[in-house]
Amino acid sequence: MTDYYLQVMQSPIGQKVIASLGLPVPPDLERGDAWSATPLAGSPVLYSASLGSHAVTEILQSLSDTGAKIHIPVASPDLQAVKDAAMRTTTAICADAPDDKDKFSALVFDATGIKSIAALGDLHGFFNPVLPRLRRNGRVVVIGTNPATAGSIAVQSAARSLEGLTRSLGKELGKKGITSQLIYVQKGAEARLAAPLRYCLSPQSAFVSAQVLHVHKQVKTQVSAVWEKPLQDKIALVTGAARGIGAGIAEVMAREGARVICLDRPGEEGGLQKVAAAIGGEVLAVDITDPAAPRRINDYVKKQHKGVDIVVHNAGVTRDKTLARMSREWWDMVLDINFGAIERINDALLKGAIRDDGRIVCVSSISGIAGNMGQSNYAVSKAGVIGYVAALSQVVAERGITVNAVAPGFIETKMTAAIPAAIREVGRRFNSLSQGGLPRDVAEAITFFASPGASGLSGGVMRVCGQNMLGA
């Protein structure tokens, strides 16, 4: 769908008119193509750590592996520990004061050592002098200790305060296309930081901002470091793949090496065939509301591929009315397709078709987090998906299987094209990046969760919404 506002911005006259009216100026986002082993090759990154941080070694190694040129400010609270870690990991660092004219591609602060209110001053000391030197489409990433496992009340509350910083920075810097993320890491899970840190620093996360990722040891699996074509030789099932976000998911997963089974309801074979042909995938026409659907899907993946590695539950519908005017038929339909079918299909596949170390990713919605007028049925279904993901993740952790959800905001699809123009414009501009996202933004987030490196993330939900002003 065309965003004519963005087109007007491309002309000098349009820019002057928009500026004179004080209207938002959406940044031109830099999105990535294929995943790379060195996404930050040669890019300057400024890194610092609070005193006593427990993730210094792993963060330095991860940054070095991305190809970044790592700078350490001379005023870093734990400069000696950073230097020692650099020697252990043979990481090249520039422990000096860079030229004031230099622009950084990313600012990374390791706050895992912050244990008090006073220590939060380290955040101001690091960010205050260098934020103006962060380039357009740059990245801010803060790593903190998981509050749930942090220990004392003082440490837990100090760790929790990091969310206020990253969300505020997302709103302050979004007009430049800059995103801000927080990664909480449980002690002992530092080796699983690499994949989420890479994703947050990469162009693949262009429409994701102010998110909180929890890295933990819950899932029983080995840490994997596959950065190029991370889904190579994986079998992926994507529901609702005939168009829109589903087609985008299938395309990106195939690009990253997966053999994609494109599933949608009978009647959508034309779209399915087109999507599958473009990516070298397969077509499976099944109505997921059919009581026989779980068995048919299970039988197909076992017969054709002896199982499946990745399951993406994307299929969904809307039937909008205020609750007082909504029929029970519409209520039941939306909950059954968006929520019930996910449970039934997973129940069947988890009996053996989903392989150990597999990945399940469910598409929720910002409506499931913040609610939305006239969408009570949709919001209930999508909030239910978030709760389901959290609960199921604990059940399948012993098999090395992760379960996560993504919650899209306003994404440019045929569905949003049908929204009245005025409401559509509000949806587009009501986030820190002042624009709608693309199906590929959702697809990149799902591909990240589906990758082997994301073994430390399970039971969570990540919004793909440009930091929509509604919701957490």
Side-chain angles (χ1 to χ4, degrees):
M1 180 173 57
T2 302
D3 185 343
Y4 294 106
Y5 186 91
L6 289 178
Q7 289 188 344
V8 170
M9 269 190 50
Q10 305 306 314
S11 70
I13 295 177
Q15 292 174 5
K16 290 181 180 179
V17 171
I18 288 172
S20 66
L21 295 175
L23 297 174
V25 181
D28 185 11
L29 300 183
E30 294 179 0
R31 291 178 164 92
D33 293 319
W35 287 36
S36 169
T38 54
L40 298 178
S43 299
V45 173
L46 188 66
Y47 167 71
S48 185
S50 54
L51 190 63
S53 290
H54 60 80
V56 175
T57 299
E58 290 78 11
I59 294 172
L60 274 179
Q61 185 65 67
S62 295
L63 290 176
S64 177
D65 290 344
T66 68
K69 183 179 181 182
I70 306 170
H71 290 268
I72 309 296
V74 292
S76 179
D78 211 356
L79 181 61
Q80 189 56 52
V82 174
K83 289 182 176 180
D84 292 344
M87 291 185 64
R88 288 195 301 273
T89 59
T90 64
T91 300
I93 61 173
C94 304
D96 54 17
D99 192 303
D100 287 344
K101 295 180 181 179
D102 288 347
K103 288 284 187 179
F104 293 108
S105 295
L107 305 176
V108 178
F109 189 79
D110 177 358
T112 57
I114 290 180
K115 297 179 173 61
S116 66
I117 295 173
L120 291 170
D122 291 350
L123 299 170
H124 182 277
F126 176 69
F127 286 109
N128 175 260
V130 295
L131 283 175
R133 294 169 54 195
L134 186 59
R135 73 170 182 85
R136 298 185 72 84
N137 285 289
R139 299 286 186 264
V140 172
V141 180
V142 177
I143 297 95
T145 298
N146 190 329
T149 59
S152 70
I153 293 174
V155 179
Q156 289 184 50
S157 55
R160 178 63 176 76
S161 68
L162 300 175
E163 296 185 29
L165 171 73
T166 50
R167 288 178 177 139
S168 294
L169 286 178
K171 292 179 178 179
E172 291 178 10
L173 304 173
K175 60 186 176 182
K176 295 182 179 179
I178 296 169
T179 63
S180 173
Q181 322 289 0
L182 172 61
I183 304 174
Y184 282 131
V185 59
Q186 180 182 6
K187 283 189 176 181
E190 294 87 354
R192 302 186 180 195
L193 264 174
L197 180 57
R198 279 172 164 264
Y199 173 74
C200 290
L201 291 172
S202 75
Q204 275 75 21
S205 63
F207 198 64
V208 175
S209 191
Q211 295 308 288
V212 181
L213 300 178
H214 292 263
V215 177
H216 50 70
K217 301 181 292 183
Q218 173 183 325
V219 178
K220 306 299 182 182
T221 187
Q222 293 186 345
V223 178
S224 177
V226 181
W227 307 129
E228 290 185 343
K229 289 194 175 295
L231 307 187
Q232 189 69 51
D233 300 325
K234 302 293 185 183
I235 303 300
L237 171 71
V238 179
T239 72
R243 60 184 184 279
I245 291 174
I249 295 167
E251 179 182 348
V252 171
M253 287 193 151
R255 184 196 72 194
E256 297 305 326
R259 174 72 174 180
V260 182
I261 303 167
C262 303
L263 184 151
D264 217 313
R265 61 189 176 88
E268 297 287 352
E269 284 96 339
L272 275 178
Q273 292 286 359
K274 184 177 180 181
V275 172
I279 64 172
E282 303 172 22
V283 170
L284 180 57
V286 174
D287 181 351
I288 60 173
T289 65
D290 184 340
R295 177 183 53 78
R296 289 186 58 195
I297 296 169
N298 183 75
D299 290 348
Y300 179 89
V301 298
K302 293 191 77 171
K303 180 180 180 181
Q304 299 297 323
H305 302 287
K306 299 182 180 179
V308 64
D309 302 291
I310 301 161
V311 179
V312 180
H313 294 283
N314 166 73
V317 297
T318 58
R319 291 295 184 273
D320 298 348
K321 277 190 184 296
T322 58
L323 184 55
R325 300 175 58 202
M326 185 182 298
S327 69
R328 181 60 183 264
E329 179 186 2
W330 277 17
W331 178 275
D332 290 344
M333 177 192 299
V334 169
L335 264 69
D336 187 53
I337 294 173
N338 296 357
F339 188 9
I342 293 175
E343 285 192 324
R344 294 191 297 271
I345 293 169
N346 282 346
D347 285 348
L349 296 179
L350 283 168
K351 292 176 181 177
I354 297 181
R355 288 187 260 269
D356 289 354
D357 299 325
R359 300 286 184 263
I360 300 172
V361 189
C362 302
V363 176
S364 179
S365 169
I366 190 72
S367 292
I369 296 171
N372 203 11
M373 181 177 176
Q375 284 195 320
S376 58
N377 52 356
Y378 187 73
V380 167
S381 71
K382 294 302 187 179
V385 167
I386 293 172
Y388 172 74
V389 159
L392 182 62
S393 67
Q394 301 175 47
V395 176
V396 299
E398 287 291 332
R399 292 182 54 192
I401 297 171
T402 66
V403 191
N404 290 286
V406 298
F410 187 97
I411 304 297
E412 303 282 359
T413 64
K414 289 184 178 180
M415 181 184 295
T416 52
I419 297 173
I423 299 175
R424 187 166 64 240
E425 280 305 299
V426 171
R428 282 174 170 151
R429 311 305 162 207
F430 205 56
N431 63 67
S432 295
L433 301 174
S434 300
Q435 59 194 284
L438 303 178
R440 63 187 288 194
D441 296 319
V442 182
E444 297 286 8
I446 289 174
T447 298
F448 158 62
F449 275 134
S451 68
S455 62
L457 299 152
S458 194
V461 56
M462 180 166 64
R463 291 185 299 148
V464 183
C465 63
Q467 195 184 13
N468 192 287
M469 300 307 179
L470 297 177

